[in-house]
Amino acid sequence: MTEQQKILTTNFGAPVNDDQNSMTAGNPGPILMQDVHLLEKLGHFDRERIPERVVHAKGAGAYGYFEVTHDVTQYTRAKFLSEVGKKTELFIRLSTVGGERGSADAERDPRGFAIKFYTEEGNYDLVGNNTPIFFIRDPLKFPDFIHTQKRHPVTNLKDPDMFWDFLSLTPESIHQVTFLFSDRGTPRSFRHMHGFSSHTYMWYNDENDYFWVKYHFKTEQGIQNLTREEADRMKSVDPDHATRDLHQAIESGEYPSWRLEVQIMTPKQAESYRFDPFDITKVWPHADFPPITVGRMVLNRNPLNYFAEVEQSAFSPANFVPGIGPSPDKMLQGRLFSYHDTHLHRLGPNFHLLPVNAPKACAAHNYQRDGFMSFGATSGGYPNYYPNSFSGPAPDAKAGEPARNISGLAARQPYTHPNDDFVQAGDIYRKVLTDTDKTNLIGNIVSHLGNAQKRIQLRQTAIFYKADSDYGRRVAEGLGLNVNDVVALAAMSQEERVNATQENI
Ligand code: NDP
């Protein structure tokens, strides 16, 4: 043993004399109950795994900073955005969505893009994706949607029938399906993709004027994707390629960066806009809401302990700071509950005390106490109730968001503009994708949808056709479907289409 080498101890600091031989009665012989070192070691090992995230289970993380480059104080009073040149430490977790912890990074899937800004007014979490939109617009559908992306309850296999059955019965998904099956569904790495808030949020300034805002983090490495063939190969050659790429880039000083742009909409513009701006299946066209640059995010430090810092990191879109709040986007409203709730289940009631999750630029003070794994960080020398006439913390009335008028029916009701699900999916096909992008999109769809039942293929292809006739025709031809059948189905209402494709054809 070298002089500097530390002595091996139990978890409670007692020295251990032998870590290679269990304590037995006789030799060989039964192991003694009094081998407390063995019991502690096995007992801890048995509990090493915690429940994996039900979504976004596979991910990589890094620390970095956000620097403000443009003045946005007319829109928000958030202190971390209050001054050009101001830097705020952050932690990011980048992930796939549907796969388990051991799944391949190159799977076709949206990529999670979750950022925790350690601001002086508390932690601000922005929990986005690498796409500006989502498959569904009501959180009531979320568990069903995710079930269809995971494993079949009987076979424990990924199942093309349930995947496409749900999507073809949920036409609002067509815009995101088009993104997902384009080559942007398989980014070359976490560094070569954009990040989006996807949701709309509220920003409000010192005067309590409020604005609706969408965030776009534009990669400064440039967009790069894998083709389907490259992604399939990568899955077998290096299932962890994106995790490795991020770690190695940061380790070698090649710090990845993104430029943050926002789109701003006034409440007045929102009232009269041609579609519901809070519907997450739609983007706000740039021509109507030109992006404004806010700042730059740089990732420059790898975590030292994957489990402690990445696996136990816990983000919630409900973590706001003064100057930023929620919008009525229904998917966001559902996530405000669900993220915090899942961390309570996965990590326990004191997950906020873990170093990666705790505020770094300010302290937390409140009257919440105890629970599993409490280590007293918030139970300082003041009472555990409010109000009190001692030295306990008190609310700051200035910290609240502006009051808003809300009226209408309390009811289960769809968004008020449900009929234009196909326009933007058609726009991306017609206006944005190159000829090569279109060919790859069709090939990616055909190779996946081709594994589903024919009636489901027909129903889904009719939805592609409704987005754009060329798009639908090419998918139909790729699948060997009769284009006339697809055209007829596309002309029907969704209800008629569902009825017409109930039986296997
Ligand atoms: P614009 O032409 O102003 O914007 C199109 C956007 O698409 C740009 O952000 C572009 O930037 C991005 N883009 C380019 N190639 C692809 C691709 N292969 N896959 C996905 N995105 C791509 O048009 P609009 O704002 O009117 O939007 C038209 C369509 O573009 C929308 O229906 C939507 O599907 C798509 N889109 C729109 C976005 C928005 O926020 N308005 C954002 C992303 C896509 P870049 O290459 O840097 O990503």
Side-chain angles (χ1 to χ4, degrees):
M1 189 170 75
T2 62
E3 229 170 274
Q4 296 83 6
Q5 198 168 9
K6 294 193 174 90
I7 290 175
L8 180 78
T9 72
T10 66
N11 277 338
F12 303 95
V16 172
N17 68 327
D18 180 350
D19 196 36
Q20 297 292 294
N21 299 294
S22 306
M23 197 184 288
T24 55
N27 197 6
I31 292 177
L32 291 177
M33 189 78 166
Q34 71 182 44
D35 188 348
V36 291
H37 172 53
L38 174 71
L39 299 188
E40 180 194 272
K41 190 171 177 179
L42 292 182
H44 192 275
F45 175 74
D46 294 348
R47 291 162 181 79
E48 267 182 15
R49 291 291 168 271
I50 59 174
E52 69 174 29
R53 291 165 168 85
V54 63
V55 285
H56 296 275
K58 173 82 185 288
Y63 294 93
Y65 65 86
F66 180 77
E67 180 170 6
V68 179
T69 56
H70 292 71
D71 182 16
V72 286
T73 51
Q74 62 175 304
Y75 302 116
T76 177
R77 71 163 89 136
K79 286 213 174 112
F80 81 106
L81 299 175
S82 64
E83 241 179 279
V84 172
K86 184 158 185 166
K87 284 187 179 176
T88 299
E89 187 184 353
L90 59 83
F91 180 75
I92 191 167
R93 186 170 179 276
L94 301 154
S95 53
T96 50
V97 181
E100 296 86 5
R101 267 198 66 184
S103 59
D105 289 343
E107 289 291 351
R108 180 171 307 286
D109 212 359
R111 300 294 187 267
F113 200 94
I115 309 170
K116 190 180 290 296
F117 298 87
Y118 299 104
T119 96
E120 67 266 55
E121 296 176 296
N123 289 353
Y124 171 51
D125 290 358
L126 192 59
V127 190
N129 278 327
N130 70 329
T131 65
I133 47 179
F134 199 61
F135 298 90
I136 49 173
R137 53 180 163 237
D138 194 302
L140 206 46
K141 302 181 185 183
F142 188 77
D144 302 283
F145 165 64
I146 291 299
H147 287 167
T148 70
Q149 309 292 297
K150 294 232 164 216
R151 291 174 185 275
H152 190 280
V154 174
T155 62
N156 200 35
L157 296 169
K158 293 281 175 93
D159 190 294
D161 278 344
M162 66 182 195
F163 183 96
W164 288 106
D165 191 34
F166 180 86
L167 294 175
S168 65
L169 294 170
T170 313
E172 72 207 45
S173 62
I174 180 65
H175 195 188
Q176 175 77 322
V177 166
T178 303
F179 255 83
L180 180 64
F181 279 85
S182 78
D183 285 343
R184 291 199 186 195
T186 47
R188 181 164 295 279
S189 80
F190 290 133
R191 295 183 295 137
H192 296 96
M193 63 186 204
H194 298 326
F196 298 90
S197 62
S198 312
H199 297 295
T200 301
Y201 288 94
M202 177 205 274
W203 273 9
Y204 53 95
N205 63 19
D206 279 327
E207 279 73 49
N208 268 346
D209 300 323
Y210 66 90
F211 307 87
W212 304 120
V213 58
K214 277 184 185 286
Y215 300 61
H216 305 243
F217 285 86
K218 309 286 272 206
T219 173
E220 294 187 331
Q221 290 66 243
I223 291 276
Q224 286 184 31
N225 303 309
L226 299 173
T227 62
R228 179 173 77 259
E229 294 78 11
E230 288 170 333
D232 284 347
R233 187 168 167 273
M234 187 62 89
K235 281 189 255 179
S236 59
V237 171
D238 184 1
D240 305 313
H241 84 279
T243 306
R244 191 182 318 283
D245 173 86
L246 182 70
H247 190 271
Q248 286 180 349
I250 294 174
E251 217 52 24
S252 65
E254 215 183 302
Y255 299 142
S257 58
W258 285 259
R259 183 179 68 258
L260 172 60
E261 298 174 352
V262 292
Q263 288 177 289
I264 304 268
M265 187 186 288
T266 64
K268 206 162 171 45
Q269 286 172 314
E271 273 167 28
S272 56
Y273 197 55
R274 65 174 185 275
F275 59 80
D276 195 317
F278 307 112
D279 173 354
I280 194 178
T281 66
K282 298 186 177 60
V283 296
W284 297 352
H286 290 137
D288 293 351
F289 302 97
I292 302 167
T293 300
V294 180
R296 192 162 175 263
M297 172 172 75
V298 178
L299 305 182
N300 60 6
R301 183 159 65 89
N302 278 317
L304 293 177
N305 181 322
Y306 181 85
F307 182 85
E309 296 163 90
V310 186
E311 186 61 9
Q312 292 196 118
S313 63
F315 301 83
S316 168
N319 288 349
F320 294 114
V321 291
I324 306 178
S327 79
D329 171 345
K330 294 182 201 182
M331 279 303 295
L332 171 62
Q333 294 281 323
R335 293 173 82 211
L336 296 179
F337 161 75
S338 209
Y339 277 64
H340 188 81
D341 188 53
T342 203
H343 302 317
L344 293 175
H345 158 67
R346 201 169 65 85
L347 300 166
N350 284 309
F351 72 88
H352 57 284
L353 301 179
L354 296 170
V356 69
N357 298 326
K360 286 189 197 296
C362 63
H365 303 286
N366 60 42
Y367 299 93
Q368 293 166 36
R369 292 287 185 275
D370 306 340
F372 286 114
M373 303 293 174
S374 172
F375 47 91
T378 57
S379 42
Y382 52 80
N384 60 358
Y385 58 90
Y386 178 84
N388 66 73
S389 58
F390 295 92
S391 57
D396 173 5
K398 296 193 298 298
E401 64 192 56
R404 284 196 305 122
N405 251 329
I406 296 180
S407 63
L409 295 177
R412 296 189 186 279
Q413 47 201 330
Y415 277 91
T416 50
H417 304 269
N419 296 322
D420 57 2
D421 288 335
F422 307 101
V423 174
Q424 293 197 348
D427 281 349
I428 191 171
Y429 184 82
R430 285 181 292 270
K431 298 203 290 200
V432 177
L433 300 186
T434 63
D435 286 346
T436 306
D437 291 339
K438 286 182 188 171
T439 301
N440 292 358
L441 169 73
I442 306 294
N444 296 341
I445 291 171
V446 167
S447 76
H448 197 293
L449 179 56
N451 298 315
Q453 292 178 15
K454 190 175 171 203
R455 67 192 184 92
I456 297 174
Q457 291 181 22
L458 278 164
R459 192 163 63 212
Q460 181 64 36
T461 306
I463 290 171
F464 292 126
Y465 191 91
K466 282 178 78 67
D468 184 275
S469 55
D470 182 63
Y471 185 6
R473 185 185 50 74
R474 288 181 66 181
V475 173
E477 286 169 358
L479 290 169
L481 301 174
N482 182 330
V483 178
N484 291 334
D485 290 346
V486 170
V487 175
L489 283 170
M492 296 177 188
S493 70
Q494 174 68 5
E495 195 184 342
E496 289 166 341
R497 195 161 38 247
V498 171
N499 287 334
T501 50
Q502 267 311 93
E503 302 296 323
N504 221 336
I505 305 163

